[in-house]
Amino acid sequence: MSAIDDLLAAARSGLNRAEPEQAQRLQRDGALIVDIRPHVNRLEEGEIPGSVVVERIHLEWRLAPDSEWRLPEVKPDSTVIVVCNEGYSSSLAAADLRRLGLPGATDLEGGFRAWRSAGLPVREGGTPAVP
């Protein structure tokens, strides 16, 4: 295995990754879905209804429970599901959030493309990211 494979395996070992249908149920129960995909992907492929767009470079500042710049809806006990294209960078991002004090952080297994392939709702993409 390569170093990135080891890093990814270590990140995922601490996550309870959500399958698309499970993520949808968690969202209905109050989980926050955070889309970290680039604008071009969201514009071309769409977005998950009710998701919040946070660019990857701002993610830790917007979601760390003790950050002065965090989103107001994020609490230390929040369930947060990070979404990328296929579920790789979201695993690394969710592991980072857990290390920053958000134990309810996880990611969407298979990413947005798995959500869409499962036939779950998709809205038109291109929503501006949280500044």
Side-chain angles (χ1 to χ4, degrees):
M1 280 188 11
S2 70
I4 188 62
D5 290 330
D6 291 341
L7 183 64
L8 188 59
R12 288 179 172 170
S13 71
L15 301 176
N16 184 14
R17 301 182 76 211
E19 294 282 341
E21 292 82 3
Q22 179 188 14
Q24 184 183 44
R25 284 191 303 276
L26 289 168
Q27 184 186 37
R28 277 195 299 251
D29 292 341
L32 179 66
I33 294 182
V34 177
D35 193 334
I36 63 170
R37 294 177 301 139
H39 182 261
V40 67
N41 294 115
R42 292 182 287 102
L43 189 60
E44 290 175 1
E45 299 180 48
E47 299 170 356
I48 296 172
S51 64
V52 174
V53 177
V54 178
E55 292 183 4
R56 179 64 185 98
I57 62 171
H58 297 138
L59 186 70
E60 288 82 358
W61 287 267
R62 295 291 181 228
L63 276 83
D66 63 351
S67 171
E68 66 182 281
W69 300 285
R70 75 171 164 74
L71 299 173
E73 61 266 35
V74 177
K75 309 290 186 246
D77 63 345
S78 294
T79 299
V80 174
I81 304 166
V82 183
V83 176
C84 67
N85 287 331
E86 296 179 337
Y88 294 98
S89 61
S90 59
S91 293
L92 299 174
D96 287 347
L97 293 175
R98 292 175 67 87
R99 282 191 291 277
L100 289 172
L102 196 60
T106 191
D107 75 324
L108 178 61
E109 192 164 339
F112 175 81
R113 292 174 182 159
W115 176 281
R116 187 184 60 212
S117 292
L120 297 174
V122 173
R123 70 175 183 223
E124 186 174 322
T127 302
V130 171

